[in-house]
Amino acid sequence: MNNRIIVPNTLVLGIDIAKENHYGQFIVNGEYIKKPFLIKNTRESFECLLDSIRQLKAKYNLDYVLVGMEPTGHYWKNIAYYLKSQGIDLCLVNPYHVNKTKELEDNSPTKNDKKDAKIIAKLIYQGQYLSCMFEEELYVNLRLCSKNRQELKKQFISEKVRLIALLDEYFPELKKMFSDILGKSALFILKTCPFPQDIVNIGVSELTQKLLDATHNRVGFKKAELVFNAADTSIGVPVGLEGARYRLKLILRQLEGLQKELDNVEKLMEEYLVQTGYSEYLLSIQGVGIVTAASFLAEIGDISKYESYKQIQKVAGLNLKETSSGMKKGKTKISKRGRSNLRNILYQAATVMVAKNVAFKEIYTHLTKRQENQLTGKQAIVALSVRLIKVMYTLCKKKTTYTHDRVHALASYQQAA
């Protein structure tokens, strides 16, 4: 937050963003100029806005222009990039601040686009805004790849749920035979003999040979016998098999296609990660993989623009807050005012690192076993998420690789434990 009062010779424009029709409000020297006006999401309307800005600058003899808006979804980007291309300085206003300030305008909780435009303009004039930083193309591409991967992963999980539901109906015993229902041996059965009657018809010997061929002799008679016995005594529904067979093939084709796309997008994420110049440092952390490192940078952008790891912590909504009043001291919690996806990435990464990273495991044990201020497992993972931010930030800033003792001072934790 800048908290900087606008200088007198500045033209301030606050814009309330919508999908098709935006509303703008000018302020000069703390006073509203004209009424809130319509800005259509078209080039013609953007050009008219630019003409209005130039006319007002000349009329009031102003030297500077600052345009601000709420970052509403993706709708703000069209007008923001247009104004940036015309040399106009831009800033962003926190939607939460607009919502909390709306009653100061007319002592009414009423909300509409014209009123919001006036509030945004006033907040900018008061210095309650954030600098608008446009990401380099590399990080924009990386973020889009990360978003594509998230969507593909959701679709993949959805299709896998459909597969499990189908098996629950027609062959519920099968998924208990395999740790991974999409592993080589399980997938072979699903493609060739998915239903109990199919397995009973081919017999144990033929099923054994087929499994040996499909898994390169890794799975054979024991598994085949288990599957055959399960099929022979299955409680699966015996009717509608032809329709179920077609549905199964459709689901498997969808899963294979989604897996191929996931592999492609992860390969592209790896290429972009290398181009950032930070891959060597991030991947040196034991437990951090290509997807985690790439997704982290996709969310925060170029790490060199941050002056402290605490800024990234705030972007993730992992900064602490406390609600206290009088004699009552409230609990300390994370604010969650930030990017939920970044929090999720860090939380999942910290969970994996407790299992795979010696230093993080030591710290997790210390936090959950210490005598004073003992944390629950979830609280400790959140604390480790913040530590992971600090580690990643430090390595990238100093351009050095990871070592357990230097980064975490393990000896102190071992002594404390």
Side-chain angles (χ1 to χ4, degrees):
M1 188 63 65
N2 282 351
N3 284 321
R4 184 173 67 245
I5 302 301
I6 299 299
V7 294
N9 58 341
T10 300
L11 176 64
V12 173
L13 170 60
I15 302 177
D16 182 64
I17 298 294
K19 183 175 182 179
E20 296 292 341
N21 298 318
H22 316 311
Y23 275 90
Q25 174 67 65
F26 286 112
I27 282 185
V28 175
N29 297 333
E31 294 184 8
Y32 295 126
I33 304 300
K34 300 182 179 180
K35 295 180 179 179
F37 57 96
L38 177 67
I39 309 170
K40 290 185 177 293
N41 197 37
T42 64
R43 187 174 189 87
E44 292 78 12
S45 188
F46 291 172
E47 290 173 350
C48 288
L49 172 63
L50 195 60
D51 287 338
S52 297
I53 290 174
R54 290 168 180 162
Q55 290 171 14
L56 288 174
K57 279 187 67 179
K59 179 179 179 179
Y60 291 94
N61 193 26
L62 303 173
D63 296 326
Y64 308 105
V65 178
L66 182 60
V67 178
M69 60 199 75
E70 292 178 285
T72 307
H74 59 274
Y75 300 125
W76 67 279
K77 294 183 179 180
N78 300 108
I79 191 169
Y81 274 94
Y82 174 81
L83 293 173
K84 176 178 178 287
S85 70
Q86 301 301 317
I88 304 293
D89 290 331
L90 297 164
C91 65
L92 299 176
V93 176
N94 193 324
Y96 183 81
H97 294 168
V98 176
N99 185 52
K100 289 295 183 180
T101 312
K102 63 185 179 183
E103 290 195 39
L104 295 178
E105 183 65 27
D106 56 6
N107 194 32
S108 169
T110 301
K111 173 180 171 56
N112 56 63
D113 296 340
K114 294 180 180 180
K115 181 178 177 180
D116 285 353
K118 296 177 74 174
I119 293 170
I120 292 168
K122 181 175 285 187
L123 286 171
I124 297 168
Y125 181 76
Q126 294 171 348
Q128 304 297 321
Y129 62 87
L130 299 166
S131 298
C132 182
M133 295 182 289
F134 292 89
E135 296 288 358
E136 298 175 20
E137 186 171 358
L138 171 61
Y139 290 95
V140 174
N141 288 331
L142 186 57
R143 180 174 293 184
L144 288 172
C145 282
S146 178
K147 187 175 181 179
N148 290 337
R149 183 185 177 277
Q150 293 169 33
E151 292 173 353
L152 287 168
K153 201 70 178 177
K154 287 180 182 178
Q155 293 175 40
F156 187 89
I157 293 172
S158 177
E159 290 299 321
K160 191 172 180 180
V161 168
R162 289 176 62 201
L163 173 63
I164 297 298
L166 186 65
L167 292 177
D168 285 341
E169 186 174 354
Y170 287 93
F171 195 175
E173 298 82 5
L174 183 63
K175 64 180 185 294
K176 299 176 184 178
M177 303 289 105
F178 300 93
S179 57
D180 181 8
I181 196 62
L182 295 177
K184 283 187 177 180
S185 51
L187 200 56
F188 168 78
I189 290 176
L190 290 174
K191 288 182 176 180
T192 57
C193 47
F195 300 126
Q197 193 58 49
D198 300 329
I199 294 171
V200 171
N201 289 342
I202 64 175
V204 177
S205 298
E206 187 176 346
L207 180 61
T208 300
Q209 189 58 50
K210 287 180 178 294
L211 284 174
L212 287 169
D213 294 340
T215 61
H216 303 289
N217 296 324
R218 291 179 62 187
V219 177
F221 176 74
K222 288 184 179 180
K223 182 66 70 174
E225 187 178 35
L226 285 172
V227 173
F228 180 85
N229 291 336
D232 194 37
T233 58
S234 176
I235 58 171
V237 174
V239 296
L241 295 181
E242 290 306 313
R245 198 181 303 277
Y246 178 81
R247 182 175 176 80
L248 177 60
K249 289 179 180 179
L250 179 62
I251 293 172
L252 292 177
R253 284 198 297 270
Q254 294 275 35
L255 285 170
E256 288 180 348
L258 288 168
Q259 186 59 59
K260 185 178 179 179
E261 292 300 331
L262 278 167
D263 293 340
N264 290 338
V265 78
E266 287 177 5
K267 184 179 179 181
L268 193 56
M269 289 175 71
E270 182 178 6
E271 292 175 4
Y272 288 136
L273 175 63
V274 172
Q275 291 178 36
T276 65
Y278 297 124
S279 61
E280 177 186 356
Y281 317 123
L282 294 177
L283 296 180
S284 68
I285 306 172
Q286 186 180 2
V288 172
I290 291 169
V291 171
T292 298
S295 300
F296 174 72
L297 291 179
E299 288 295 323
I300 69 168
D302 189 353
I303 208 167
S304 65
K305 70 185 180 184
Y306 296 94
E307 297 178 359
S308 167
Y309 79 91
K310 291 184 178 180
Q311 291 177 318
I312 302 176
Q313 180 181 351
K314 199 168 184 179
V315 170
L318 289 172
N319 53 308
L320 298 179
K321 68 165 187 174
E322 179 186 309
T323 303
S324 299
S325 179
M327 301 296 292
K328 182 180 179 181
K329 185 175 177 64
K331 291 184 178 180
T332 300
K333 301 179 181 180
I334 59 173
S335 69
K336 292 188 178 181
R337 282 195 193 168
R339 295 178 181 170
S340 58
N341 189 51
L342 179 56
R343 282 199 305 277
N344 182 55
I345 291 166
L346 292 166
Y347 189 91
Q348 296 299 329
T351 303
V352 171
M353 292 180 72
V354 169
K356 295 187 176 181
N357 187 293
V358 176
F360 273 77
K361 186 174 182 180
E362 289 276 359
I363 298 169
Y364 177 83
T365 302
H366 169 71
L367 293 174
T368 54
K369 301 295 183 183
R370 63 189 180 186
Q371 295 299 317
E372 296 183 6
N373 193 26
Q374 189 177 109
L375 301 183
T376 64
K378 187 174 182 179
Q379 289 173 330
I381 294 295
V382 171
L384 289 176
S385 298
V386 176
R387 179 168 286 270
L388 180 57
I389 292 175
K390 186 176 181 179
V391 170
M392 287 177 158
Y393 176 82
T394 303
L395 294 180
C396 292
K397 276 288 189 177
K398 294 185 176 181
K399 297 186 177 180
T400 185
T401 53
Y402 176 89
T403 59
H404 294 313
D405 296 335
R406 184 172 61 184
V407 174
H408 295 286
L410 269 185
S412 63
Y413 283 99
Q414 291 168 345
Q415 291 172 3

